[in-house]
Amino acid sequence: MKKGYSMLAGVFTCCFFIAGCSTSPTGRSQLKLYSNSQISQQGTLAFTQIKEKQKVSTSGKYNRYVQCVSTAITKHAPKKVFGGKWEVVVFDSKQVNAFALPGGKIGVYTGLLNVAKNQDQLAAVIGHEVGHVIAEHGNERMSNSALVGVGLQVADTALKSQDVKQSKVIMSALGVGSQVAVTLPFSRIQETEADQIGLELMAKAGFNPKQSVELWKNMQKASNGEKPFELLSTHPAPQTRISDLNKHMASAIAVQAKASDKPSCRI
């Protein structure tokens, strides 16, 4: 049994060692196995599929408003992330959600506009989503998933080759462990990182960074207290998110004070 556990430990030690081959905008170690062109192609394909399945809003006022905020934000995204004109689509749905994809794609659901009460709060959401793209979190998630999958296969093979008793039980536990100990916390780290990048991005664009905190207060109210335990959630709890945002607020306010842009986006 000890040999089996040693092999498992070795597999995941190698995984985490390999994961330090790249660095995020905040200085965090990342694993990125795919090229930018591959990830952009995947983002474009996913966006096309979403547009085919989701109802696109034809509201002129919603589209102008979301486009205005998105343009102000993406203007300050590094050109190496995407050098063209970002495609922005508003989806007619009650979902309180938005997303950005590699390849210059942004989607906003009309339900979000009931919670993000002004241009600054909407900018906080879009800045956060574009932050995911800037930090190449899509590449990182795909790479991490591939690595965990390979690790599980290698571990399974090692256990069987050593005729370890109860290998199925161990593999089952390892699968759960990889989900709770790797995948979910990994996503929370990415969310926090995207918040930090998005806060600076919205400040550079001239939006009020303090409104990012008000946004999450609104989100908390809108959820009616229905929030899973943070340990098993891919997103930080609203209070944790607010606390983390406040840690970077002073520097974001200083950035906004120097911003030459003064957005004026209204529905």
Side-chain angles (χ1 to χ4, degrees):
M1 181 69 74
K2 289 183 179 179
K3 287 184 178 179
Y5 282 123
S6 296
M7 288 183 181
L8 296 183
V11 168
F12 281 92
T13 298
C14 290
C15 289
F16 286 112
F17 177 77
I18 294 171
C21 63
S22 186
T23 305
S24 76
T26 64
R28 178 177 58 82
S29 294
Q30 291 180 297
L31 171 69
K32 293 183 289 187
L33 300 176
Y34 304 95
S35 68
N36 289 338
S37 61
Q38 287 175 310
I39 295 299
S40 293
Q41 287 174 2
Q42 290 297 318
T44 300
L45 177 61
F47 199 62
T48 299
Q49 293 175 342
I50 293 170
K51 287 189 293 183
E52 290 173 350
K53 295 178 180 179
Q54 300 283 338
K55 182 180 179 181
V56 176
S57 174
T58 57
S59 170
K61 64 178 182 179
Y62 284 160
N63 278 280
R64 284 190 296 270
Y65 176 55
V66 173
Q67 183 70 59
C68 178
V69 175
S70 298
T71 299
I73 291 290
T74 56
K75 177 181 176 181
H76 295 274
K79 297 302 180 185
K80 66 178 182 179
V81 173
F82 182 72
K85 179 178 174 58
W86 288 64
E87 181 181 0
V88 181
V89 175
V90 180
F91 296 99
D92 190 0
S93 170
K94 292 182 180 180
Q95 286 189 59
V96 181
N97 205 0
F99 62 88
L101 295 171
K105 311 297 181 184
I106 294 174
V108 174
Y109 295 88
T110 53
L112 175 64
L113 304 181
N114 296 322
V115 180
K117 301 294 186 181
N118 53 49
Q119 65 167 3
D120 303 292
Q121 292 181 16
L122 180 59
V125 177
I126 294 175
H128 167 90
E129 298 302 334
V130 173
H132 278 305
V133 178
I134 291 173
E136 298 185 71
H137 287 161
N139 192 337
E140 189 177 18
R141 286 179 180 177
M142 288 175 61
S143 302
N144 185 61
S145 295
L147 187 62
V148 170
V150 169
L152 292 175
Q153 289 178 355
V154 172
D156 186 40
T157 301
L159 287 169
K160 288 177 179 177
S161 68
Q162 294 297 318
D163 194 26
V164 177
K165 294 181 179 180
Q166 298 181 325
S167 63
K168 290 184 179 179
V169 175
I170 295 173
M171 282 307 299
S172 177
L174 186 59
V176 173
S178 67
Q179 177 72 4
V180 175
V182 180
T183 309
L184 295 185
F186 201 65
S187 295
R188 291 201 300 273
I189 290 171
Q190 290 178 329
E191 291 297 322
T192 300
E193 188 169 59
D195 275 346
Q196 183 180 342
I197 296 170
L199 189 68
E200 182 177 4
L201 201 57
M202 69 180 292
K204 286 181 178 179
F207 294 104
N208 181 2
K210 292 181 179 179
Q211 285 296 310
S212 61
V213 171
E214 297 306 313
L215 166 74
W216 284 104
K217 289 180 180 178
N218 293 349
M219 288 285 192
Q220 195 169 21
K221 291 177 183 177
S223 68
N224 295 317
E226 296 179 3
K227 185 76 174 67
F229 290 110
E230 184 176 359
L231 179 64
L232 297 177
S233 171
T234 59
H235 290 61
Q239 285 302 324
T240 301
R241 206 155 206 165
I242 289 170
S243 177
D244 288 337
L245 285 167
N246 280 327
K247 291 177 184 177
H248 302 283
M249 193 59 66
S251 59
I253 291 172
V255 170
Q256 187 212 13
K258 297 177 181 178
S260 57
D261 297 330
K262 304 295 179 184
S264 180
C265 306
R266 296 182 179 86
I267 296 180

